[in-house]
Amino acid sequence: MAGALVAVPITAVAAAAVDGGGPASSAGPAGTDVVSPDGRLDGLDFDGLVRFTWADGSGVHTARLPVQGADGVVRVGGPGGAHGVEWPAGAGPLPSLSGKYHTTEADGPAVAGRPTTALHLSSGSGSSETLALDQATGLVLARAELDPGGAVVRSMEFEALTLRRSHAPGTPVRPSALPTAKAAPARLSSEYSEPSQLANGYQRVRAESVSGGLRVIYSDGVHGLSIFEQPGHLAGARGSSRWVGGEVVTWQAGPTVFTVIGDGPSTDVTAAARSIPQPHQQGLLGRLRSWSREVVDTISGSH
Amino acid sequence: MSGVPPAGGRPGASGADGHLGDGLSSLLDGELSSAEMAAAQRHLDGCSTCADELDEVERTRQLLRGLDPPKPPEGFVPGLLLRHRRLTFFVAAVSMIAGVVAALVFMLISPREDVTPPVNRFERIHATSTPSPDPITEMAPAGVAPSTVP
């Protein structure tokens, strides 16, 4: 069983820790990982119970959520419904942590009865977080995000974890039944903006079409950030708000309504949103060109 | 018929010279009343000039009836059809172009739609489909926040 659950992204986390000058992993799970050729976890499933805590203006809240990992899909359930995501995600490698974070690594506390390696991440914004990685599998068993003042913003910790072998290593797993995102058009009209990188180390991972617009996904190696772009006029005022998963910023720029959602520190998300270049307001000719391109793309099936 | 001179050849009523004149055509065309016809017949009986003229007019008419109907010049009908076709095509093309131009103008100058970002849906999308080294923490907000459920 040892080492069988390590996923590619966690391997990247461990490697980044070394890149950042921290001591070498005491457990060294990455070198003994068993990962199937398509990158999915091979041979082991898990069930567990996770305690999720978050703080907002009304205080600190806690929820306990069942989690499950099977056949390369991680699912999280709870009152809000069950959600699943392929893991590791098929979007390619995430950005290296070393570009943004200073990382240190040490022996961590036991979580759900399992020994861990603690990975401490800090960035120039003053926020920091600590991840406890299962020494045998590399699974993140606990995580705490702290604001610059050291207060916990969000935390996650396994209270129980059961690993089981579901099939022999090397056995192909069945294809995931999760819905797949629709890729963005190869050529975007000037109403949209998808810079390859944003402030505070966010790098573009991929873009996809969503109802009524475009979503561009970014990552800094740990946190994700989504830009939702909708052509039109923002009904209502621009603004920012916090939700249980992070920060939301909405504003109008040129002919487009932007909504940025990030799960990183509030200051990072705001700075990244400010670094998005404003799309050009199209004249009649530009709109005609965009429309013609859309028609051609639709006819040629490149959408 | 005032235009038919009385029998006996008194000149006058129809032509200035007292002969039937244009009354001959009316007679041949059957346009005279029975009384007028009888008066004309009496005039013809006594007037060789009008009788000869009537014979002449009748012969001419018979001659004309025997002629072939006039034919249009060579290429007249195809030319007419071609012009009709061109006109029809022109009208159709102009109508179509006008329709397309109207649609384009409407599309291009129409004001932008108001957009209210569906923030809850966006939050759920972000939480459940953002590549992350820690998908459990990434997805947990969608699991705990009822407002994120579609």
Side-chain angles (χ1 to χ4, degrees), chain A residues 9-10 52 63 65 74 76 78-80 83 85 87 94 143 156 158 191 206 211 215 221 224-226 228 230-235 243-245 248 259 261 263 284 287-288 291, chain B residues 104 107-119 121-146 148-150:
Chain A
I10 296 302
F52 181 65
L65 306 170
V74 175
V76 175
H83 301 277
V85 62
W87 186 54
L94 297 175
R143 179 175 176 179
M156 179 278 287
F158 269 91
E191 295 167 309
R206 69 167 185 258
S211 174
R215 177 195 181 200
L225 184 143
S226 298
F228 294 90
Q230 299 170 282
H233 179 262
L234 176 61
W243 69 301
V244 60
V248 180
T259 302
I261 298 179
D263 48 73
L284 282 183
R287 293 175 74 175
L288 181 61
W291 178 79
Chain B
L104 275 177
M107 184 198 70
L108 293 176
I109 68 173
S110 58
R112 292 284 183 182
E113 286 184 13
D114 280 353
V115 171
T116 302
V119 174
R121 188 169 69 87
F122 287 168
E123 289 171 349
R124 182 174 54 81
I125 291 173
H126 175 82
T128 57
S129 63
T130 300
S132 168
D134 177 19
I136 295 169
T137 302
E138 191 76 36
M139 283 190 291
V144 302
T148 63
V149 180

Side-chain angles (χ1 to χ4, degrees), chain B residues 53-147:
Chain B
E53 189 176 350
L54 178 64
D55 289 343
E56 186 68 24
V57 170
E58 198 163 12
R59 273 198 303 274
T60 302
R61 286 193 172 191
Q62 284 174 353
L63 192 64
L64 287 175
R65 281 192 207 100
L67 293 176
D68 289 334
K71 290 183 178 176
E74 187 75 21
F76 175 76
V77 173
L80 197 62
L81 290 174
L82 184 61
R83 264 187 305 193
H84 177 71
R85 253 185 247 122
R86 280 179 180 163
L87 185 64
T88 305
F89 176 77
F90 177 75
V91 169
V94 167
S95 303
M96 196 167 65
I97 290 170
V100 170
V101 168
L104 275 177
V105 168
F106 176 78
M107 184 198 70
L108 293 176
I109 68 173
S110 58
R112 292 284 183 182
E113 286 184 13
D114 280 353
V115 171
T116 302
V119 174
N120 286 346
R121 188 169 69 87
F122 287 168
E123 289 171 349
R124 182 174 54 81
I125 291 173
H126 175 82
T128 57
S129 63
T130 300
S132 168
D134 177 19
I136 295 169
T137 302
E138 191 76 36
M139 283 190 291
V144 302
S147 63

Side-chain angles (χ1 to χ4, degrees), chain A residues 238-257:
Chain A
R238 58 178 292 169
S240 62
S241 60
R242 289 197 62 78
W243 69 301
V244 60
E247 190 81 7
V248 180
V249 187
T250 301
W251 75 100
Q252 174 90 45
T256 308
V257 175

